[in-house]
Amino acid sequence: MQHDKVLILDFGSQYTQLIARRVRELNIYSEIHPFNKIPTNIEEYKAVILSGSPFSVRGDEALHPDLSKIRGVKPMLAVCYGAQYLAHFSGGEVAPSNTREYGRANLSFIQKSEPFFAHVTDGSQVWMSHSDTIKHLPTNGVLLASTHDVENAAFKIEGEATYAIQFHPEVYHSTDGKQILENFLVTIADIKQDWTPDSFVEETVDAIQEKVGNDKVVLGLSGGVDSTVAAVLLNKAIGKNLYCIFVNNGLLRKNEFESVLNQYEGMGLNVKGVDASDRFLAALKGIEDPEKKRKAIGNSFIEVFDDEAHKLEDVKWLAQGTIYPDVIESVSATGGPSATIKSHHNVGGLPDFMKLKIVEPLRAIFKDEVRRVGATLGIDPELLGRHPFPGPGLGIRILGDITAEKVRILQEVDAIFINGLKEWGLYDKVWQAGAMLLPVNSVGVMGDERTYEKCVALRAVESTDGMTADWVNLPYEFLQKTSNDIINKVKGVNRVVYDISSKPPATIEWE
């Protein structure tokens, strides 16, 4: 890769990945590494950003990065915990704030002559998220900005290209956050903005060709955006040596197995459909724990691919549509201190018995970046606009144990909900939608008879990358009609509820 690179040191903040996204939106390549595993090739990075953290610099568990090869050597931006770290361990003072500083604030004083704040106006809204505050600046610290409650909201170190801010420029609530990042990266660090979808495609194709050579690759297609873009990328790189397999795990949406196979006709991909419904349902029998269900589904996928790969001669690679959020939520952010949220069926490597190596062309990019890459590759916009659908499928939307009857019920409910969104012109206004079958029965009345049947929850969210999400305020009239249609047409359901939880604290899926 010949691009200028930005190193982001992760101290465990929930926003670290958003920093990477904002940097990439500026057409600048960024990488996240744990604060205690700084790359040995540090000279290859043109700038460094320190993330926030749930830890306190005053605590015994304070995280201590080795900045000896960074500070004063490369342009550095310290965000939140990073800013407090610079102050606390460099002659300044950090103390508990009298009031927890969380949420919106406005810059009431800005050093406008400073390039760091070029094109940022007084009163610009920023997002705070901390319980400590910087009382005194570090040695040679120069104040650049304040808010009503935070005097030392931004500062720089005299004689260095080192900047620090107490707020989070990476979140959307910081209205000029992207401008501030651009000022630091482009104006101060002199980084070229040349990392684009076109360059990603070109470099990824070259990397696949170098890595795979003339070997054969088997790819698990899901019908969704990620695996489709991965397939087209791989096809562009290795052509006839790519063998795509679409597995019916018995947990797909209604009629999805047939419709997805039809969808790939005419795309120039070599696709084989495999119906393994009974195998997956047998593996899931009696399992209620969400993590155990995910692992059972993941193991079954591996077994199916292994079987199919053995039917092909000399296949050496298994390709997957893994994207960055999958990795982030399955393991700590690139091995850093961030918390594990959940495991994903396509993350974590292969068992020893399987002799295939893994190739994941999308592993380093986010969902919105995947769609832009897909557009560059000329993939149908309707396919690229399809809502994300979890790899484990309806298996993690059926809470509790899974049976064929429960799958049937949820498929019918999901079809009514999704088709209704399309009919009402709401589908493209929603990032992801689905229905959950709850492990409870409730009393109802149909005609003159008492019923004791299932409850389903509908979920629709808006997001850009799946890392954060807000519930969508769907029209009452739509929800009313959808509820009536579900209860009247799906045998076994007598109650419908709508989920109005955002992420965080909830996740998009219920399991």
Side-chain angles (χ1 to χ4, degrees), residues 417-479:
F417 184 32
I418 298 301
N419 290 336
L421 287 170
K422 292 178 179 177
E423 291 168 6
W424 282 62
L426 298 169
Y427 185 83
D428 291 335
K429 299 178 182 178
V430 172
W431 192 76
Q432 183 171 343
M436 319 295 161
L437 183 64
L438 307 188
V440 295
N441 284 20
S442 66
V443 174
V445 177
M446 291 187 178
D448 294 325
E449 297 183 4
R450 174 186 182 275
T451 61
Y452 191 58
E453 296 179 331
K454 294 294 182 184
C455 173
V456 294
L458 306 182
R459 180 96 160 117
V461 300
E462 53 187 6
S463 179
T464 55
D465 52 25
M467 299 304 299
T468 61
D470 290 322
W471 63 278
V472 178
N473 189 7
L474 295 175
Y476 283 125
E477 295 81 5
F478 168 77
L479 291 173

Side-chain angles (χ1 to χ4, degrees), residues 184-438:
F184 171 71
L185 295 170
V186 179
T187 304
I188 295 170
D190 193 28
I191 294 177
K192 296 188 294 291
Q193 297 173 275
D194 58 1
W195 194 72
T196 63
D198 286 325
S199 66
F200 175 84
V201 169
E202 181 181 344
E203 291 160 10
T204 302
V205 167
D206 289 344
I208 292 170
Q209 290 172 340
E210 182 177 350
K211 183 175 186 177
V212 174
N214 200 38
D215 293 344
K216 293 179 180 178
V217 178
V218 60
L219 166 68
L221 281 174
S222 70
V225 176
D226 303 334
S227 64
T228 301
V229 173
V232 176
L233 264 175
L234 284 158
N235 190 54
K236 187 177 179 67
I238 61 175
K240 60 182 176 60
N241 283 341
L242 174 65
Y243 297 83
C244 300
I245 298 173
F246 177 48
V247 177
N248 182 5
N249 61 1
L251 303 167
L252 302 175
R253 285 173 160 155
K254 185 177 180 181
N255 301 325
E256 189 169 25
F257 185 54
E258 297 79 8
S259 64
V260 167
L261 288 175
N262 291 334
Q263 165 187 289
Y264 286 119
E265 289 184 4
M267 291 184 66
L269 299 175
N270 179 19
V271 183
K272 177 183 178 182
V274 178
D275 190 347
S277 305
D278 293 341
R279 184 173 188 166
F280 279 83
L281 290 176
L284 287 163
K285 186 176 181 179
I287 299 177
E288 297 185 6
D289 180 81
E291 279 295 290
K292 290 180 180 178
K293 286 197 290 187
R294 284 177 174 271
K295 292 186 183 303
I297 292 168
N299 290 337
S300 296
F301 267 117
I302 292 295
E303 291 171 0
V304 171
F305 287 131
D306 192 44
D307 290 346
E308 293 301 319
H310 277 100
K311 297 176 184 178
L312 300 169
E313 191 174 340
D314 295 328
V315 171
K316 296 183 179 179
W317 297 85
L318 171 66
Q320 298 185 137
T322 308
I323 63 172
Y324 204 18
D326 296 339
V327 179
I328 294 164
E329 292 190 338
S330 294
V331 296
S332 300
T334 60
S338 301
T340 298
I341 307 298
K342 59 190 175 186
S343 65
H344 286 257
H345 77 281
N346 58 344
V347 178
L350 298 174
D352 292 337
F353 73 82
M354 197 170 184
K355 304 305 180 184
L356 300 181
K357 296 174 285 186
I358 291 180
V359 56
E360 296 169 316
L362 307 179
R363 186 181 179 90
I365 62 177
F366 293 91
K367 176 72 75 172
D368 55 322
E369 293 177 304
V370 173
R371 288 195 169 102
R372 290 198 292 272
V373 168
T376 294
L377 289 167
I379 297 174
D380 187 340
E382 185 174 342
L383 193 157
L384 292 177
R386 187 184 181 200
H387 289 178
F389 188 64
L394 300 181
I396 57 169
R397 293 182 177 178
I398 297 172
L399 278 65
D401 69 317
I402 297 171
T403 66
E405 175 61 10
K406 289 180 180 179
V407 172
R408 180 200 67 79
I409 290 174
L410 192 54
Q411 284 178 332
E412 296 292 337
V413 171
D414 179 85
I416 291 172
F417 184 32
I418 298 301
N419 290 336
L421 287 170
K422 292 178 179 177
E423 291 168 6
W424 282 62
L426 298 169
Y427 185 83
D428 291 335
K429 299 178 182 178
V430 172
W431 192 76
Q432 183 171 343
M436 319 295 161
L437 183 64
L438 307 188

Side-chain angles (χ1 to χ4, degrees), residues 56-270:
S56 169
V57 296
R58 300 179 298 103
D60 294 335
E61 297 181 344
L63 309 179
H64 295 278
D66 179 6
L67 302 178
S68 59
K69 296 181 180 179
I70 298 173
R71 184 173 168 183
V73 179
K74 295 184 177 295
M76 184 174 74
L77 172 61
V79 177
C80 198
Y81 178 90
Q84 294 177 355
Y85 183 88
L86 287 181
H88 188 68
F89 293 103
S90 300
E93 180 187 358
V94 174
S97 175
N98 293 330
T99 58
R100 188 163 182 257
E101 294 162 346
Y102 183 87
R104 294 172 176 82
N106 298 92
L107 297 176
S108 56
F109 163 78
I110 299 176
Q111 204 48 282
K112 293 184 178 180
S113 61
E114 171 58 49
F116 185 78
F117 280 113
H119 311 297
V120 178
T121 60
D122 285 329
S124 179
Q125 179 179 283
V126 295
W127 185 261
M128 296 286 186
S129 181
H130 55 94
S131 54
D132 289 343
T133 194
I134 298 170
K135 291 291 187 183
H136 299 290
L137 295 179
T139 303
N140 296 327
V142 178
L143 181 64
L144 297 182
S146 305
T147 69
H148 181 272
D149 296 316
V150 181
E151 179 183 0
N152 298 309
F155 63 89
K156 71 174 182 179
I157 303 298
E158 194 170 8
E160 301 177 15
T162 299
Y163 294 79
I165 50 179
Q166 188 61 84
F167 55 88
H168 289 270
E170 67 272 22
V171 303
Y172 281 113
H173 305 295
S174 292
T175 52
D176 289 317
K178 187 175 180 180
Q179 180 66 60
I180 291 171
L181 288 172
E182 183 174 359
N183 290 342
F184 171 71
L185 295 170
V186 179
T187 304
I188 295 170
D190 193 28
I191 294 177
K192 296 188 294 291
Q193 297 173 275
D194 58 1
W195 194 72
T196 63
D198 286 325
S199 66
F200 175 84
V201 169
E202 181 181 344
E203 291 160 10
T204 302
V205 167
D206 289 344
I208 292 170
Q209 290 172 340
E210 182 177 350
K211 183 175 186 177
V212 174
N214 200 38
D215 293 344
K216 293 179 180 178
V217 178
V218 60
L219 166 68
L221 281 174
S222 70
V225 176
D226 303 334
S227 64
T228 301
V229 173
V232 176
L233 264 175
L234 284 158
N235 190 54
K236 187 177 179 67
I238 61 175
K240 60 182 176 60
N241 283 341
L242 174 65
Y243 297 83
C244 300
I245 298 173
F246 177 48
V247 177
N248 182 5
N249 61 1
L251 303 167
L252 302 175
R253 285 173 160 155
K254 185 177 180 181
N255 301 325
E256 189 169 25
F257 185 54
E258 297 79 8
S259 64
V260 167
L261 288 175
N262 291 334
Q263 165 187 289
Y264 286 119
E265 289 184 4
M267 291 184 66
L269 299 175
N270 179 19

